[in-house]
Amino acid sequence: PKHLELFGALGKIPPRYAHIPLILNKDGSKMSKRDAGSSITSYMQEGYVADAVRNYLTLLGWSPKDNREKLDLSETVQLFTLEKVNRKNAHFDLDKCLWLNGQHLLQMDLQRFRDLSIPFLQKAHIDYRSEHSLDPVLAIIKEKIKLLTEVPDWVSYFFTEDYAFDEAAEAKSLKNPDSAQRLHALAQAFEAVSPWDPASIEACLKATALQLGIKAGELVPPTRVAVSGRPSGPSLYHLLEVLGKDRTVTRIHNVVQTRCTPAL
């Protein structure tokens, strides 16, 4: 009302106003500035990308009616009509926003993903050396990322030999009495692999497992933990390709000597 009076006082024709329904929390309570998701700063600090947040906000009280959820701004502008605005109140679901963030990151080109990731890597004091060395790493972990704050943890072990080990994963995969012998055999086999690409690495691991009389699945977890310190991550064969043959073999030998039971 105040704005309409101001337009009238100035002798101007006011624009047509419209509004989306009231935004509520998931439990149906009225959303306030103290609730999760109400602070723009929190999105920036937690690693959401603007495209995803904007995408989610456009779906509060409005829908393109074709079951589409990931929308670029240009698509929203093209599809938006007041007739598609819902009459009932909208419920704010931060989990849905998180999912959309992951979708936007997944489909983002590598250069932009890198540019958005670098500030978080710098904040975590990760020396990624150069964009040339960083891009192959980001390319294999991008599909795993939901928030940009997760990037440092996913890439850290690529850029240091002093990487941490997940205690539970280490106990499960490296303390097996057979782990030392199996990993030692794999490291020796890896030394002869050429070219060092995912297909050749996978073939070598499977051949080694066959020679050891075990399934390849029994060799994958200890190998992953040995070279990364963690039980999960990107495709092991792509991980090893990016890490490089020399570093892979060296890491496995070091782990056999220092962390496996019994060590060779």
Side-chain angles (χ1 to χ4, degrees):
K2 291 181 180 178
H3 295 97
L4 292 174
E5 292 297 330
L6 284 171
F7 276 107
L10 294 170
K12 300 295 182 180
I13 299 174
R16 294 174 60 203
Y17 287 96
H19 64 84
I20 64 172
L22 185 66
I23 299 176
L24 305 176
N25 290 310
K26 288 178 67 176
D27 62 5
S29 61
K30 185 177 180 180
M31 192 174 188
S32 74
K33 62 182 180 181
R34 293 180 296 276
D35 292 318
S38 62
S39 169
I40 294 298
T41 303
S42 68
Y43 290 104
M44 299 168 65
Q45 293 174 340
E46 293 172 21
Y48 286 86
V49 295
D51 294 347
V53 176
R54 182 167 52 228
N55 184 171
Y56 180 66
L57 293 178
T58 63
L59 297 175
L60 288 175
W62 171 82
S63 169
K65 305 298 184 183
D66 57 1
N67 293 321
R68 295 179 61 197
E69 295 181 303
K70 182 187 178 297
L71 297 167
D72 294 330
L73 181 58
S74 59
E75 293 178 290
T76 303
V77 171
Q78 181 181 6
L79 295 171
F80 183 84
T81 64
L82 289 175
E83 288 73 23
K84 292 181 180 179
V85 174
N86 299 325
R87 292 183 178 274
K88 62 181 181 180
N89 293 331
H91 287 76
F92 189 89
D93 184 354
L94 194 56
D95 290 336
K96 186 63 171 292
C97 186
L98 177 63
W99 176 82
L100 274 172
N101 201 64
Q103 294 300 303
H104 277 267
L105 290 173
L106 177 64
Q107 297 178 37
M108 186 179 291
D109 67 74
L110 186 60
Q111 180 177 342
R112 183 156 184 250
F113 182 61
R114 179 221 305 149
D115 292 342
L116 292 174
S117 297
I118 283 177
F120 293 89
L121 295 174
Q122 292 174 334
K123 185 177 180 180
H125 304 292
I126 292 178
D127 182 10
Y128 55 86
R129 302 183 183 91
S130 69
E131 294 178 356
H132 177 73
S133 63
L134 179 60
D135 281 356
V137 178
L138 293 179
I140 64 172
I141 62 97
K142 188 160 77 77
E143 66 178 16
K144 303 289 187 179
I145 302 300
K146 296 295 183 291
L147 293 169
L148 290 169
T149 47
E150 300 170 353
V151 174
D153 186 56
W154 279 87
V155 309
S156 60
Y157 59 86
F158 284 95
F159 302 107
T160 179
E161 297 308 310
D162 186 24
Y163 51 97
F165 281 76
D166 179 279
E167 292 184 5
E170 180 179 3
K172 182 177 180 180
S173 296
L174 301 183
K175 301 307 180 183
N176 184 312
D178 297 321
S179 294
Q181 180 255 339
R182 292 173 179 177
L183 287 173
H184 180 71
L186 181 62
Q188 287 187 315
F190 274 164
E191 290 177 352
V193 173
S194 181
W196 186 254
D197 57 34
S200 300
I201 295 168
E202 181 178 7
C204 179
L205 184 143
K206 289 182 176 179
T208 303
L210 184 63
Q211 292 173 359
L212 293 170
I214 61 175
K215 295 179 180 179
E218 297 180 68
L219 198 51
V220 169
T223 304
R224 181 184 294 280
V225 175
V227 300
S228 70
R230 58 198 66 201
S232 61
S235 160
L236 176 64
Y237 309 116
H238 290 85
L239 184 163
L240 297 180
E241 179 191 34
V242 173
L243 191 61
K245 180 163 71 173
D246 292 342
R247 294 178 74 197
T248 295
V249 171
T250 298
R251 287 188 180 193
I252 293 175
H253 279 312
N254 287 341
V255 164
V256 168
Q257 294 296 329
T258 61
R259 293 183 178 270
C260 285
T261 305
L264 293 180

